[in-house]
Amino acid sequence: MSPKHVVFKKVSKDKLVAVYMAKRDFVDHCDFVDPVDGVIVIDQGQLKGKKVYVMLSCTFRYGRQDMDVMGVAFRRDLFVVTRQVYPELQDKEKLTHTKVQQKLLHKLGDNAFPFFFEFPDNLPCSIALQPGPSDVGKKCAVEFEVKAFCCENQDEKINKQSSVRLTIRKIQFSPENSKLVPVAETTFEFLMSEKPLHLKLSLPKETFYHGEPIPVTVEITNSSSRNIKDISVSVEQVTNIVLYSNDKYVKSVAKEETSDSVPSGTSLKKDYTLYPLLAHNKDRRGLALDGRLKHEDTNLASSSIVKQEVLKEVQGMLVSYKVIVRMIASGTIGSSEVSLELPFKLMHSNPEPANQTTWCLRSLNEPT
């Protein structure tokens, strides 16, 4: 049996406009981004000479709406483009770019009109900081939205009864996996110790997929006079807010604490396995997540890939991951913590294309 291809439908409260889209996730392939396309159905009997527009926007939100004080805006539109759908400015054939649109136009009739947008190269992917259980209001997020509305002209105030808002996501799949094997090494020297402590941290590959276990190899050569104990290995997510502030959130998303020890004059080589999953970090405030659609699960935010010649500030938030090994070096004159870190990427795998031939309609009841 062929897999079903869902068509998303959302209708304005006054039934004047309805939006149909074949998908809500749009992939950034690094060298190009999936275009945003769909069809709008209009009740021309209610229009009364008004025009119908569709808008694509990318917005950065930082903090709650009631925090807008002293002229500081906590919302910024990173990208907005509006197109007139009706009356038509071009023939439908010239505005129809995909087979999905062709099928929908054929099925929905003469009151259906296509729309099509292309993302610029410099936009970030959908991302949000997880609010705490007691947080209310808008969260810190980069959000994408398609809005259809009717009015005399696109600059006048939009009547909510005659508008439709549909949240979409811009996501990124992993580029082709490099053959790079990440390795970090360092040497620590201690007071009153003739020889050093040598640490080595390695991963089997640079990019891991969401849900995939991460095997970490730790090698310790302890030639010093200190004794090593309380070894722990963790994955940390680092989120930098690069627009409006220099806030930085560092959250441990997977950790293994051990009683392993390496006495003076000995060595250790051991593999540890970590599982950085959102399921283990529910309700942790400030954790970066991939953008979430209502009633659908998400995952930890993917690593940010900033293209060349793109300003980091335009990205809103940047996310990275690193493995850190920590341990206590104890001796006769006290103890100290030593650590070593190694960055890696956490991303979605690039799925195989599917032959989708069966269609089903899914009406959305999200707030407009």
Side-chain angles (χ1 to χ4, degrees), residues 23 33 81 85 91 107 140 193 202 225 239 305 341 352:
K23 60 182 180 180
V33 184
V81 61
V85 175
D91 293 336
K107 184 175 182 178
C140 181
S193 178
S202 60
S225 59
T239 306
I305 296 181
E341 61 185 55
E352 295 293 331

Side-chain angles (χ1 to χ4, degrees), residues 100-161:
V100 173
Q101 286 178 312
Q102 292 174 357
K103 292 180 180 179
L104 287 174
L105 290 172
H106 178 73
K107 184 175 182 178
L108 298 172
D110 294 336
N111 290 330
F113 301 88
F115 65 87
F116 184 88
F117 295 100
E118 290 184 308
F119 286 109
D121 288 337
N122 62 342
L123 291 183
C125 290
S126 300
I127 185 174
L129 292 189
Q130 181 167 256
S134 61
D135 289 343
V136 294
K138 289 292 184 181
K139 56 186 178 293
C140 181
V142 174
E143 299 173 323
F144 291 84
E145 182 181 83
V146 171
K147 180 189 288 187
F149 58 95
C150 73
C151 51
E152 298 287 346
N153 62 76
Q154 67 182 63
D155 297 322
E156 74 176 52
K157 186 177 180 180
I158 298 173
N159 182 354
K160 290 185 178 180
Q161 298 294 318

Side-chain angles (χ1 to χ4, degrees), residues 214 216 230-236 251-258 272-277 280-281 284 322-327 337:
I214 300 180
V216 182
D230 298 337
I231 299 172
S232 68
V233 185
S234 61
V235 171
E236 290 190 352
K251 303 288 182 180
S252 175
V253 293
K255 188 173 185 178
E256 182 174 346
E257 296 179 321
T258 76
Y272 302 88
T273 302
L274 300 174
Y275 298 87
L277 299 170
H280 300 161
N281 295 277
R284 290 193 61 198
K322 57 186 178 181
V323 171
I324 300 183
V325 58
R326 294 184 175 91
M327 60 200 73
E337 182 183 87

Side-chain angles (χ1 to χ4, degrees), residues 36-284:
V36 177
D37 64 278
V39 169
I40 292 181
V41 176
I42 303 168
D43 182 351
Q44 297 190 37
Q46 293 191 62
L47 271 183
K48 298 178 182 178
K50 293 183 179 180
K51 300 175 181 177
V52 178
Y53 300 91
V54 62
M55 175 192 296
L56 173 65
S57 64
C58 173
T59 303
F60 175 74
R61 303 182 188 273
Y62 187 53
R64 303 190 305 272
Q65 288 180 318
D66 58 10
M67 292 173 61
D68 189 356
V69 294
M70 298 178 63
V72 179
F74 287 86
R75 171 196 166 108
R76 178 175 172 182
D77 290 327
L78 300 179
F79 175 74
V80 178
V81 61
T82 304
R83 302 263 167 79
Q84 180 178 315
V85 175
Y86 182 86
E88 299 169 272
L89 300 179
Q90 288 181 294
D91 293 336
K92 285 185 180 181
E93 290 75 15
K94 294 181 179 180
L95 295 171
T96 304
H97 294 265
T98 67
K99 292 182 179 179
V100 173
Q101 286 178 312
Q102 292 174 357
K103 292 180 180 179
L104 287 174
L105 290 172
H106 178 73
K107 184 175 182 178
L108 298 172
D110 294 336
N111 290 330
F113 301 88
F115 65 87
F116 184 88
F117 295 100
E118 290 184 308
F119 286 109
D121 288 337
N122 62 342
L123 291 183
C125 290
S126 300
I127 185 174
L129 292 189
Q130 181 167 256
S134 61
D135 289 343
V136 294
K138 289 292 184 181
K139 56 186 178 293
C140 181
V142 174
E143 299 173 323
F144 291 84
E145 182 181 83
V146 171
K147 180 189 288 187
F149 58 95
C150 73
C151 51
E152 298 287 346
N153 62 76
Q154 67 182 63
D155 297 322
E156 74 176 52
K157 186 177 180 180
I158 298 173
N159 182 354
K160 290 185 178 180
Q161 298 294 318
S162 302
S163 66
V164 174
R165 294 168 51 194
L166 189 61
T167 301
I168 62 173
R169 290 189 297 191
K170 180 173 177 280
I171 60 176
Q172 192 160 44
F173 292 145
S174 172
E176 289 189 13
N177 218 338
S178 68
K179 296 182 180 180
L180 177 67
V181 177
V183 177
E185 295 185 75
T186 190
T187 298
F188 294 93
E189 296 183 350
F190 303 103
L191 187 66
M192 307 293 291
S193 178
E194 294 183 359
K195 296 182 179 180
L197 167 71
H198 184 77
L199 300 183
K200 183 178 179 180
L201 188 60
S202 60
L203 298 170
K205 58 182 180 178
E206 183 184 23
T207 301
F208 292 87
Y209 302 137
H210 291 289
E212 187 178 10
I214 300 180
V216 182
T217 301
V218 177
E219 298 180 54
I220 304 172
T221 303
N222 186 12
S223 301
S224 73
S225 59
R226 300 283 186 105
N227 293 317
I228 301 301
K229 62 180 183 179
D230 298 337
I231 299 172
S232 68
V233 185
S234 61
V235 171
E236 290 190 352
Q237 180 195 75
V238 181
T239 306
N240 287 284
I241 312 297
V242 293
L243 192 63
Y244 285 130
S245 75
N246 291 316
D247 286 357
K248 184 177 182 179
Y249 296 86
V250 180
K251 303 288 182 180
S252 175
V253 293
K255 188 173 185 178
E256 182 174 346
E257 296 179 321
T258 76
S259 57
D260 295 340
S261 61
V262 188
S264 175
T266 65
S267 61
L268 171 73
K269 181 177 180 180
K270 187 172 180 179
D271 294 328
Y272 302 88
T273 302
L274 300 174
Y275 298 87
L277 299 170
L278 178 57
H280 300 161
N281 295 277
K282 290 288 188 181
D283 300 326
R284 290 193 61 198

Side-chain angles (χ1 to χ4, degrees), residues 332-366:
T332 56
I333 58 173
S335 300
S336 59
E337 182 183 87
V338 296
S339 63
L340 180 62
E341 61 185 55
L342 181 61
F344 70 96
K345 293 183 178 69
L346 184 64
M347 304 195 73
H348 293 281
S349 60
N350 204 341
E352 295 293 331
N355 295 321
Q356 297 171 315
T357 56
T358 304
W359 295 70
C360 67
L361 189 63
R362 178 178 172 186
S363 296
L364 300 174
N365 297 316
E366 300 172 357

